[in-house]
Amino acid sequence: MIIEPKIRGFICTTAHPDGCAVHVQKQIDFVKSHPVLENAPKRVLVIGASTGYGLASRIVAAFGGKASTLGVFFERAGTEKKPASAGWYHTAAFEVAAAKEGLYAKSFNGDAFSNEMKEEVIATIKKDLGEVDLVIYSLASPRRLDPATGQTYKSVLKPTKSTFTNKNINTDKKEIDLVSIEPATEEEIANTVKVMGGEDWKLWIEGLAASGALAKDFRTIAYSYIGPQITWAIYTDGTIGHAKLDLEKTARQLDEQFGAGTALISVNKALVTQASSAIPVVPLYISILYKVMKSKNLHEGCIQQMYRLFAEHLTQKPKLDAKGRIRIDDWEMREDVQAEVAQIWKEITTETIDQISDFAGYQKEFYHLFGFDFPEINYHRETDPIRPIPSLSLQDQ
Ligand code: NAI
């Protein structure tokens, strides 16, 4: 099959298996070109392991820390007629690379919110590894079926106080326009917290603990975002921000249950991922941020961020801010970076997108998410869309 990108707004409905493999290999190469992580956790479970921050976390744990990893995700397998989703191809490539280095890797494709998934993962940990030392919770999902009630909740990306109007980039037309979003209802806020808050994270940890699948000094970490004032109305003060507050509250509850310092929150940098491209205003902010951070030699992608997280926090005593959070968004939030971003934000128009923002860099990274725009790949050549993930049983492929 010849696979080309098919972009629909903020999503690409196709993915290229060989390009996704290049994307994974580049991240592995980055990690392997850095010092091996001494004291890294050796048995790691990553929930949301196939793309973005979760994939990078799994790569750092495995190739930087020599860990056995288990990864949970929700992806689509390829058929003769249709390519798989990007996260499927990433995982297929990750497992092949891990096997070459003799690293244990098992993957689970299905709904992380379900009881069945939790039971299957816990049974595998008990059978293969006994326990895990680190649980990384990196889910980004638009909906959650609560197994306790059978009800499905949908998350929304909306402000919560008043109608929010700000600059936005129309990524299809490459135009700056204004976006206006009505505030969420109380129910929409509660539903977003139900999907993206800490409830499911806690269920995972309690389930693992009840089965004796957690090492005595285990730790768990979830990812959050703060960002600058321009994005607060839609992010920090918006529905997703409410969910992140709930995630932080959950970390404190888990600390009470399992001991201080067990549950960590890492505030990460804004980066192009499938989840962040869907948030209004964020693609324009990221395009400007990349321009400024690249000019100051401060730019990082998911893999650089996750390597720093492990090297500076997860293999030694983590350094925390006043609210007890790890801050690897420190370079993004530097005063000089944010002052320049704010100035460009004021000035930018459709005519100046290429001069004063790095929209080209944003777009390139967006294509990379789906395995496109890698010079190493000849996209006019036929390729096999069916790529097995070795650890998945045949009926799951
Ligand atoms: P992503 O969209 O790249 O990855 C989401 C992962 O969740 C994928 O592996 C996907 O398969 C999995 N997933 C989704 N629904 C699932 C389900 N029902 N069952 C099993 N797996 C499921 O997202 P990204 O951006 O890496 O986000 C991960 C975390 O990092 C989120 O908590 C996000 O808020 C946070 N974060 C993201 C930032 C960004 O700029 N992208 C910045 C700071 C934090």
Side-chain angles (χ1 to χ4, degrees), residues 48-54 72-75 110-113 137-143 196 223-225 235 240 244 268-276 286:
S50 55
T51 54
Y53 275 120
V72 181
F73 47 80
F74 213 164
E75 301 293 346
D111 186 7
F113 296 122
Y137 192 82
S138 187
L139 275 196
S141 176
R143 69 186 68 79
M196 287 295 287
Y223 299 143
S224 188
Y225 183 67
Y235 201 102
I240 183 73
K244 293 299 182 192
N268 300 350
K269 178 193 179 191
L271 280 174
V272 184
T273 66
Q274 294 188 36
S276 68
I286 289 180

Side-chain angles (χ1 to χ4, degrees), residues 318-337:
K319 297 162 219 36
L320 307 176
D321 72 3
K323 290 190 173 166
R325 303 168 298 201
I326 293 170
R327 300 297 299 267
I328 51 170
D329 65 339
D330 47 355
W331 300 352
E332 171 183 358
M333 298 311 288
R334 254 173 48 171
E335 235 169 81
D336 58 324
V337 170

Side-chain angles (χ1 to χ4, degrees), residues 188-203:
E188 285 176 318
I189 299 173
N191 288 354
T192 306
V193 171
K194 196 82 183 154
V195 180
M196 287 295 287
E199 191 176 78
D200 182 64
W201 181 25
K202 193 158 176 270
L203 287 172

Side-chain angles (χ1 to χ4, degrees), residues 43 185 249 326 382 387:
R43 298 164 298 180
T185 61
K249 202 173 83 195
I326 293 170
E382 292 274 342
R387 303 294 170 106

Side-chain angles (χ1 to χ4, degrees), residues 251-267:
R252 290 193 292 272
Q253 287 168 358
L254 290 172
D255 266 4
E256 276 170 30
Q257 280 172 263
F258 297 98
T262 303
L264 298 164
I265 295 286
S266 173
V267 183

Side-chain angles (χ1 to χ4, degrees), residues 1 6 22 36 64 104 212 238-240 267 331 343 366 378 386 392:
M1 180 189 283
K6 283 201 186 121
V22 168
V36 170
Y104 170 101
T239 47
I240 183 73
V267 183
W331 300 352
Q343 188 57 35
F366 181 79
N378 178 352
I386 300 177
L392 287 185

